[in-house]
Amino acid sequence: ALTGRLEGIFQKLRGRGLLTEENIREGLREVRLALLEADVHFTVVKQFVERVRERAVGQEVLKSLTPGQQVVKIVHEELIGLLGVNHVPLAFAQQPPTLIFLVGLQGSGKTTTAGKLALWCREKGRSPLLVAADVQRPAAAAQLATLGEQLKVPVLTPKPGAKPVEIAREGLSRARKQAHDVVLVDTAGRLHIDPDLMAELKEMAAALRPHEVLLVADAMTGQDAVNSATAFHGGVGLTGIILTKMDGDARGGAALSIRAVTGQAIKFIGVGEKLDRLEAFHPERIASRILG
Amino acid sequence: GVAGRRLDQELLEELEEALILADVGPQTAGNIVARLQEKAAREGIREACDLKEILRRILVEILSQGVPAPGPCPQAPRVIMVVGVNGVGKTTTIGKLAKRWVDEGSAVLLAAGDTFRAAAIEQLEIWGERARAQVVKHQSGADPAAVIYDALQAAKARGSQVVLADTAGRLHTKMNLMEELKKIKRVMGQVVPTAPHEVLLILDATTGQNAVSQVRLFHEAIGVTGLVVTKLDGTAKGGILLRIVDEFRLPVHYVGVGESPDDLREFDPEAFADSIL
Ligand SMILES: Nc1nc2c(ncn2[C@@H]2O[C@H](COP(=O)(O)OP(=O)(O)OP(=O)(O)O)[C@@H](O)[C@H]2O)c(=O)[nH]1
Ligand SMILES: Nc1nc2c(ncn2[C@@H]2O[C@H](COP(=O)(O)OP(=O)(O)OP(=O)(O)O)[C@@H](O)[C@H]2O)c(=O)[nH]1
Ligand SMILES: [Mg+2]
Ligand SMILES: [Mg+2]
């Protein structure tokens, strides 16, 4: 792990006085390598390592008896600082219903996460409505309807030929009529470079003014995380992130990249396929995981 | 002179950065650039465009190391097991392959081996209609091995030439789910002794270094015979393939380039190398 590797580097300097810039440089190379292997984006790593370097050439490391541990402590602190110190909860509207869009690339876990959020909201005493606004993927509406059945949460499924914005609008009006205070809109997976689908999302947001637009991103995403997150944020405006499939062994560096380029908080992590497998995001755990 | 050397260093760093941005991974990118540097030194290459061409050839060389599985078995049905982690495109890829082979005149049967995920069977049935391939299914929640067993029996009885077995997405780190795959494989062998003839691992091009762990654990569990990389119509380059093919010598058979039935191409190492650079 990184701690061990840094200890190894600084070990050979024990008793030889202060650390030199070269020692620090070697240590920072290890940090850079660890972060790249954890899938943090190349440019984000560059900026991050520079911040660490500024602190590492200061007194706290140079005078330390265990400079390796000190550098790791700095890296850890900087990671937590970047990821966001506290859990940021869902932003519920003053005037119900709260409208939430789930967006992202194909296969990232949006539909499953919609189900998980419905359960989460209900456990918090709210009355969710699920809206199946994916009219493109085979059996997408059936998938959400099945999840709704499992949870005993109502699901609005599309009429034939309906457009996503119409389905979402109907969801909002049904929520008002039937006193649902949270509307969770599942959207079709889309490429951030698909101009029509990105425009569709932008129009949906402009027409319906969601309180939350959550990017559902896969924890095993590599360097591309910066491209897609930047495009979704620029195209429709994100208010939060959900990182899925964190129950695997992906290091999750995408978390850092996405946070760095969108400035939005990671609100939840998906930790399994079942609908109760959703956790509030706490930076501590992913920081240690990224460090490896 | 010194000026020429300086240019090489900067250029080499730029090429290494391009490889890392393509998900090649820092260690592998470093190794490839070192290999490029020594080759360029031996051949006295200094020009940027020549360096890039040498790099391109190195990439193609690495990507062509996959050892293809032995040829199609003489007796039908040819049984192909499709596996991979959640959401990578297994079911969609099965639909595309089915359509391709039905269009070429083969009788293809699809086994609805994902009995866990909501509407997985319905999704495969729609693909079966699109491809004009038969689907064998049980009810949701059934034992996947039982569905596969029935599907292979049906394929033998009906004279299908190919069986594509869909399985539920699963993380490679979940031991019990990997055991389930082993059981499915054993059951296949009970009906068709040489089955599965192919085990296709589907990888998502947007996946970073974790793809190596996926290949390693699926390969250790059931023996992967080939790879398919999906979602290359996005901006992700799938550079992790360089590390994977180098380490595991697995052939990449196809790439997925979209969500429609025809969005499947044979893997072309030259085109792939071009897209990375
Ligand atoms: N292990 C694990 N699997 C997950 C998690 N979240 C979702 N999945 C699985 O990931 C796969 C894809 O999930 P979906 O909900 O269909 O993804 P999606 O984003 O709606 O897909 P598209 O609508 O096609 O874009 C399914 O097999 C889910 O069960 C998670 O946190 N952990
Ligand atoms: N753009 C693009 N999308 C793809 C490609 N292949 C699959 N998809 C999409 O990715 C999403 C997931 O595909 P599935 O076939 O359901 O993936 P899966 O591996 O069977 O998922 P699980 O069974 O839930 O593990 C769907 O929205 C597909 O349309 C591809 O090559 N390009
Ligand atoms: Mg979906
Ligand atoms: Mg599937």
Side-chain angles (χ1 to χ4, degrees):
Chain A
L2 184 63
T3 314
R5 304 215 301 251
L6 288 177
E7 288 276 306
I9 291 172
F10 295 121
Q11 196 72 301
K12 22 187 175 143
L13 320 163
R14 199 59 52 87
R16 283 196 228 153
L18 295 182
L19 293 183
T20 65
E21 284 259 353
E22 177 51 36
N23 306 143
I24 301 285
R25 244 200 304 277
E26 199 181 343
L28 291 180
R29 269 201 289 276
E30 282 301 322
V31 173
R32 175 178 176 274
L33 193 59
L35 294 178
L36 286 176
E37 284 175 349
D39 289 322
V40 182
H41 190 266
F42 186 90
T43 311
V44 174
V45 171
K46 215 171 186 179
Q47 296 162 350
F48 183 86
V49 169
E50 181 50 29
R51 250 203 312 287
V52 171
R53 193 196 67 79
E54 285 170 6
R55 283 184 62 184
V57 295
Q59 293 307 299
E60 58 186 317
V61 172
L62 298 184
K63 294 211 154 164
S64 168
L65 289 175
T66 54
Q69 280 185 21
Q70 201 59 32
V71 173
V72 172
K73 178 164 170 296
I74 292 172
V75 173
H76 196 87
E77 283 175 9
E78 288 295 322
L79 271 179
I80 305 275
L82 224 188
L83 288 169
V85 188
N86 300 309
H87 166 58
V88 178
L90 280 179
F92 289 107
Q94 293 276 19
Q95 290 267 34
T98 299
L99 181 61
I100 300 178
F101 287 0
L102 292 162
V103 305
L105 296 176
Q106 289 90 345
S108 64
K110 298 173 291 299
T111 305
T112 309
T113 303
K116 291 178 181 181
L117 282 174
L119 180 59
W120 179 277
C121 289
R122 201 182 55 206
E123 314 236 282
K124 298 262 177 302
R126 297 184 180 264
S127 167
L129 170 68
L130 284 165
V131 177
D134 177 355
V135 295
Q136 180 255 347
R137 167 171 157 153
Q143 185 183 0
L144 195 65
T146 301
L147 298 183
E149 261 172 65
Q150 288 172 7
L151 295 173
K152 306 269 183 294
V153 167
V155 182
L156 172 63
T157 51
K159 301 194 178 68
K163 293 208 184 69
V165 65
E166 297 163 355
I167 302 163
R169 181 172 287 125
E170 194 191 335
L172 211 45
S173 90
R174 177 175 302 194
R176 289 190 178 112
K177 288 204 203 93
Q178 301 180 347
H180 293 291
D181 57 3
V182 185
V183 179
L184 295 155
V185 181
D186 181 25
T187 68
R190 69 200 65 217
L191 291 180
H192 53 289
I193 52 168
D194 184 328
D196 296 332
L197 289 185
M198 291 306 283
E200 170 185 275
L201 208 49
K202 194 175 181 121
E203 285 164 33
M204 275 176 77
L208 303 172
R209 318 273 291 259
H211 303 95
E212 285 270 23
V213 178
L214 302 173
L215 178 70
V216 178
D218 198 320
M220 56 193 190
T221 310
Q223 299 290 306
D224 196 54
V226 155
N227 301 329
S228 44
T230 302
F232 273 94
H233 193 42
V236 66
L238 303 171
T239 61
I241 318 288
I242 299 183
L243 207 61
T244 61
K245 308 177 202 172
M246 284 284 285
D247 44 317
D249 63 349
R251 297 270 292 280
L256 201 67
S257 309
I258 295 175
R259 167 80 174 158
V261 301
T262 65
Q264 300 306 307
I266 300 167
K267 301 204 169 185
F268 296 97
I269 56 172
V271 289
E273 296 193 65
K274 301 229 169 82
L275 296 176
D276 60 354
R277 310 272 72 217
L278 186 74
E279 290 177 5
F281 174 76
H282 289 293
E284 285 292 340
R285 290 176 52 197
I286 189 150
S288 359
R289 181 171 172 150
I290 289 176
L291 287 182
Chain B
V2 170
R5 234 192 349 230
R6 258 241 203 89
L7 168 62
D8 287 5
Q9 191 48 42
E10 203 177 312
L11 179 61
L12 290 175
E13 288 184 4
E14 277 177 36
L15 291 174
E16 184 167 352
E17 178 176 345
L19 292 177
I20 292 176
L21 287 172
D23 282 319
V24 169
Q27 302 269 26
T28 307
N31 296 342
I32 290 176
V33 169
R35 189 166 149 182
L36 168 68
Q37 200 164 3
E38 74 164 28
K39 202 159 192 226
R42 259 185 290 131
E43 306 183 9
I45 306 287
R46 279 278 171 74
E47 294 305 319
C49 55
D50 296 333
L51 264 162
K52 223 174 168 198
E53 175 56 24
I54 297 181
L55 177 56
R56 210 186 61 77
R57 285 201 225 125
I58 290 174
L59 297 185
V60 172
E61 206 174 310
I62 295 173
L63 292 166
S64 309
Q65 293 174 110
V67 178
C73 57
Q75 100 275 14
R78 173 174 162 224
V79 179
I80 302 174
M81 189 177 175
V82 179
V83 302
V85 304
N86 308 72
V88 294
K90 297 176 290 302
T91 307
T92 305
T93 300
I94 285 172
K96 293 172 182 175
L97 285 171
K99 175 147 196 311
R100 171 181 280 239
W101 292 332
V102 168
D103 288 352
E104 289 173 1
S106 296
V108 179
L109 187 144
L110 308 182
D114 181 353
T115 57
F116 170 76
R117 205 209 69 211
I121 298 171
E122 290 88 320
Q123 183 188 7
L124 186 70
E125 286 187 289
I126 293 172
W127 275 106
E129 284 169 36
R130 290 177 176 178
R132 288 177 301 130
Q134 300 182 353
V135 179
V136 168
K137 59 175 180 167
H138 286 187
Q139 74 285 2
S140 180
D143 176 6
V147 183
I148 302 290
Y149 183 92
D150 279 359
L152 264 61
Q153 294 287 20
K156 277 181 20 187
R158 301 176 202 178
S160 317
Q161 273 121 348
V162 191
V163 175
L164 282 156
D166 194 10
T167 61
R170 71 204 62 222
L171 294 182
H172 46 297
T173 46
K174 307 211 162 158
M175 301 275 48
N176 58 326
L177 297 183
M178 299 308 280
E179 285 302 312
E180 180 182 82
L181 279 188
K182 289 183 193 170
K183 178 177 173 208
I184 291 175
K185 195 179 175 196
R186 276 197 304 275
V187 163
M188 285 179 166
Q190 288 167 11
V191 185
V192 178
T194 49
H197 306 105
E198 295 185 47
V199 176
L200 281 187
L201 175 64
I202 314 296
L203 297 171
D204 185 328
T206 65
T207 303
Q209 303 306 301
N210 193 250
V212 178
S213 176
Q214 292 174 24
V215 176
R216 179 171 302 124
L217 295 188
F218 273 94
H219 196 40
E220 275 173 24
I222 54 172
V224 172
T225 64
L227 305 170
V228 176
V229 181
T230 61
K231 308 181 196 171
L232 277 168
D233 46 319
T235 52
K237 307 282 175 146
I240 196 65
L241 265 192
L242 284 157
R243 205 177 140 187
I244 289 172
V245 175
D246 204 40
E247 188 171 333
F248 299 97
R249 302 297 157 107
L250 287 169
V252 184
H253 293 307
Y254 301 98
V255 296
V257 291
E259 304 190 68
S260 304
D262 296 329
D263 289 329
L264 190 76
R265 309 221 177 104
E266 308 248 346
F267 178 66
D268 173 5
E270 305 266 353
F272 192 83
D274 284 336
S275 81
I276 288 189
L277 298 176

